[in-house]
Amino acid sequence: MANKLGGFLDLTASDLIGQYTELQKIKAGLGTQKVQQSTAAQDQALHSSDYTSGSEAISGGNAQVPGAAAAPASYWDRVPKPLLYGSVGLLGLGLVLKAIK
């Protein structure tokens, strides 16, 4: 009887470790699939439009109003001029004060 059970219980540590690593690989693969699915769902929710009509999109600010002026074409036209001139003025004042000291 010991001979019959000997083959059944003949496991080595490498067999157990091999099975454990295979199980961990499967779990990691399933975890990766779950993350990919949730990422896809979040991307879809983020980029989908909640507006049902054009007037809703216009009132929400996500569409251009017909007949309104077009958005500025160049980067220079989009820069807020008071902010730009103020920052240049502060930089100039700082350089003047540095030169005086």
Side-chain angles (χ1 to χ4, degrees), residues 6-70:
F8 178 72
L9 297 176
D10 190 20
L11 293 173
T12 62
S14 64
D15 292 337
L16 294 174
I17 292 172
Q19 291 299 319
Y20 179 75
T21 55
E22 288 298 319
L23 178 64
Q24 293 304 316
K25 286 180 187 178
I26 292 170
K27 284 183 180 180
L30 292 174
T32 304
Q33 287 177 354
K34 286 181 184 179
V35 169
Q36 288 173 344
Q37 288 173 352
S38 67
T39 301
Q42 288 175 356
D43 283 344
Q44 180 187 12
L46 178 66
H47 298 295
S48 67
S49 176
D50 292 334
Y51 299 108
T52 56
S53 68
S55 61
E56 235 184 301
I58 290 171
S59 65
N62 288 327
Q64 187 168 348
V65 178

Side-chain angles (χ1 to χ4, degrees), residues 64-97:
Q64 187 168 348
V65 178
S74 71
Y75 175 75
W76 182 252
D77 293 336
R78 293 187 308 241
V79 173
K81 299 305 183 279
L83 180 65
L84 176 68
Y85 297 145
S87 61
V88 169
L90 284 175
L91 177 64
L93 180 64
L95 290 175
V96 168
L97 289 176

